[in-house]
C-alpha cells in the first residue's frame, strides 16, 4: 500500500457493528452496485539511517472498501472480534467503468508485527458503506494468513544511501537494492516492488509502482528533484494474495503483506553558473572602486 503514515496512537473508541444490507442500484453499471472490492494491508516499517543499517519503526494495519456507487459515502468495518472502525474517503481514480472511490481505515504504529496481529488477527472482516436515506452496502474479506511477507528487508544497497546525501539534482540518480526473496512463501498471487520519493510536504515527486519483484535498481531522472531540498524515499516489497469475493462484493478481494523501509536525504545546493560568478565578480569590483572614490 502506497500509505501516508499517520500518528502512532491507536483508536480508543469502539462502535457496535451495523446491520449489513446490499444496496439495490439497478441503474448503475453492474460493477458499480454496492461495494466493488475489499483490500486489507499489513505493513512492517523500517528506517534506513546509513548504508547497511535499518532499524524497526513499527507495524500498521489498513482496511479499504472500493466502490463505484454515487450513493455511498462512508461507513465502518467490523473485525472478527466484534470491534468496529470508521471507513472514510481516502481518494479516487477514474477508470473505464467510472469513478472508483476508496474508503479507508488505518491504524497508527504498533510496536511490532506481533502486536498488530494480536489486534487484527485471522478471520472474516465485514465492511458496510452507507449513503443517503436507507442506501447501504456490505461486503466481507477473510484473512487466512498473517504472514506472507518477503523474506528479506528492503534497503538501499551498496553506496546508494550515501550517494543520495548531497546528491546533484541536475544529474541522473540511480539507487540499487536486492530483489524480493520469496523462497518458501506460499499463497502469493503477485509480488511487487514500489519505490517513491516524497518532498518535505509529503507530495510524491517520483514513483515507480507495481514493479516486478526481480527489480534491483531505479533511476531518478535529472531535474526531477530540486537543489538544496529535503526528501524522503520509500522502498516497499509487497506480496499480494487474491481471495474470493464474499458477502456482497462484486470482485475478489486483496490481502497485502508489505515490508517497507524509508530514509531521509537532501540534495546539494545549486552551484552558480560561470556567467553568474563573473557578474558577481564584476559587481564586487565596481563596489570596491565606488568606495575608493568616496574615500
Amino acid at each position: 500500500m502506497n500509505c501516508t503514515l499517520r500518528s502512532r496512537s491507536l483508536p480508543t473508541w469502539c462502535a457496535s457493528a451495523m446491520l449489513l444490507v446490499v444496496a439495490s442500484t439497478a441503474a448503475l453499471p453492474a460493477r458499480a452496485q454496492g461495494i466493488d472490492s475489499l483490500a486489507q494491508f499489513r505493513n512492517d516499517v523500517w528506517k534506513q539511517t546509513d548504508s547497511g543499517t535499518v532499524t524497526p519503526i513499527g507495524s500498521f494495519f489498513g482496511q479499504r472498501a472500493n466502490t463505484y456507487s454515487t450513493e455511498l459515502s462512508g461507513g465502518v468495518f467490523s473485525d472478527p472480534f466484534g470491534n468496529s472502525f470508521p471507513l472514510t474517503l481516502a481518494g479516487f481514480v477514474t477508470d473505464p467503468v467510472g469513478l472508483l472511490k476508496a474508503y479507508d481505515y488505518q491504524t497508527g504504529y504498533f510496536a511490532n508485527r506481533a502486536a498488530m496481529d494480536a489486534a487484527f488477527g485471522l478471520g472474516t472482516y465485514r465492511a458496510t458503506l452507507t449513503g443517503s436515506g436507507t442506501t447501504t452496502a456490505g461486503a466481507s474479506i477473510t484473512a487466512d494468513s498473517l504472514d506472507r511477507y518477503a523474506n528479506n528487508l528492503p534497503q538501499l544497497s551498496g553506496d546508494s544511501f550515501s550517494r543520495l546525501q548531497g546528491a546533484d539534482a541536475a544529474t541522473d540518480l540511480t539507487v540499487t537494492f536486492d530483489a524480493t526473496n520469496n523462497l518458501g512463501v506460499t499463497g502469493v498471487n503477485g509480488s511487487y516492488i514500489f519505490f517513491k520519493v516524497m518532498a518535505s510536504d509529503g507530495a510524491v515527486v517520483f514513483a515507480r509502482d507495481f514493479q516486478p519483484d526481480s527489480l534491483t535498481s531505479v533511476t531518478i531522472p535529472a531535474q526531477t528533484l530540486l537543489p538544496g531540498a529535503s526528501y524522503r524515499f520509500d522502498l516497499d516489497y509487497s506480496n499480494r494474495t487474491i481471495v474470493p469475493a464474499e458477502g456482497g462484493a462484486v470482485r475478489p478481494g486483496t490481502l497485502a503483506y508489505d515490508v517497507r523501509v524509508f530514509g531521509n536525504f537532501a540534495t546539494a545546493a545549486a552551484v552558480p553558473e560561470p556567467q553568474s560568478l563573473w557578474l558577481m565578480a564584476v559587481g564586487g569590483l565596481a563596489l570596491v572602486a565606488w568606495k575608493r572614490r568616496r574615500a
Side-chain angles (χ1 to χ4, degrees):
M1 168 180 188
N2 291 319
C3 302
T4 301
L5 303 185
R6 302 174 186 170
S7 67
R8 301 176 69 93
S9 60
L10 296 175
T12 56
W13 57 270
C14 179
S16 60
M18 296 179 63
L19 178 64
L20 308 180
V21 180
V22 176
S24 176
T25 53
L28 296 174
R31 190 178 287 179
Q33 298 179 22
I35 295 177
D36 183 71
S37 60
L38 297 181
Q40 188 174 104
F41 301 87
R42 297 173 186 272
N43 292 265
D44 205 22
V45 184
W46 299 70
K47 181 177 182 179
Q48 185 165 3
T49 53
D50 60 38
S51 298
T53 302
V54 292
T55 56
I57 297 299
S59 301
F60 67 94
F61 172 90
Q63 180 74 46
R64 171 170 294 174
N66 298 310
T67 182
Y68 289 97
S69 174
T70 58
E71 301 289 328
L72 303 173
S73 57
V76 299
F77 85 93
S78 56
D79 66 18
F81 316 108
N83 304 310
S84 294
F85 306 91
L87 290 169
T88 57
L89 183 63
F92 51 84
V93 63
T94 301
D95 66 15
V97 175
L99 185 68
L100 181 66
K101 297 183 292 184
Y103 291 90
D104 283 11
Y105 170 79
Q106 181 180 297
T107 70
Y109 283 125
F110 290 88
N112 49 47
R113 192 187 300 175
M116 175 184 65
D117 291 343
F120 295 93
L122 297 173
T124 299
Y125 292 75
R126 183 76 177 169
T128 307
L129 295 180
T130 57
S132 58
T134 59
T135 302
T136 307
S140 302
I141 188 169
T142 297
D144 62 349
S145 174
L146 301 178
D147 187 1
R148 292 192 176 106
Y149 299 91
N151 292 321
N152 52 332
L153 288 176
Q155 60 180 298
L156 301 188
S157 59
D159 63 349
S160 292
F161 185 88
S162 60
R163 283 190 294 104
L164 281 180
Q165 313 305 319
D168 182 0
T171 64
D172 290 349
L173 300 173
T174 298
V175 296
T176 60
F177 40 82
D178 292 334
T180 303
N181 177 3
N182 281 322
L183 183 64
V185 181
T186 60
V188 173
N189 303 119
S191 180
Y192 309 100
I193 291 177
F194 295 78
F195 180 84
K196 66 180 59 178
V197 177
M198 291 158 285
S200 56
D201 62 358
V204 176
V205 298
F206 175 82
R208 290 292 180 267
D209 294 334
F210 289 100
Q211 300 299 299
D213 61 4
S214 58
L215 187 73
T216 58
S217 67
V218 167
T219 298
I220 305 169
Q223 311 297 340
T224 300
L225 309 179
L226 296 174
S230 296
Y231 294 96
R232 164 177 160 161
F233 72 83
D234 186 283
L235 176 62
D236 180 8
Y237 293 172
S238 182
N239 285 345
R240 308 290 177 95
T241 298
I242 306 302
V243 295
E246 297 181 61
V250 176
R251 291 191 294 172
T254 301
L255 301 174
Y257 305 84
D258 291 40
V259 185
R260 59 203 314 152
V261 66
F262 71 90
N264 301 314
F265 68 98
T267 53
V271 177
E273 297 179 0
Q275 183 179 6
S276 299
L277 292 174
W278 181 81
L279 290 174
M280 290 172 61
V282 170
L285 292 173
L287 179 60
V288 170
W290 177 78
K291 286 183 175 180
R292 285 179 177 174
R293 286 197 300 270
R294 287 180 60 86

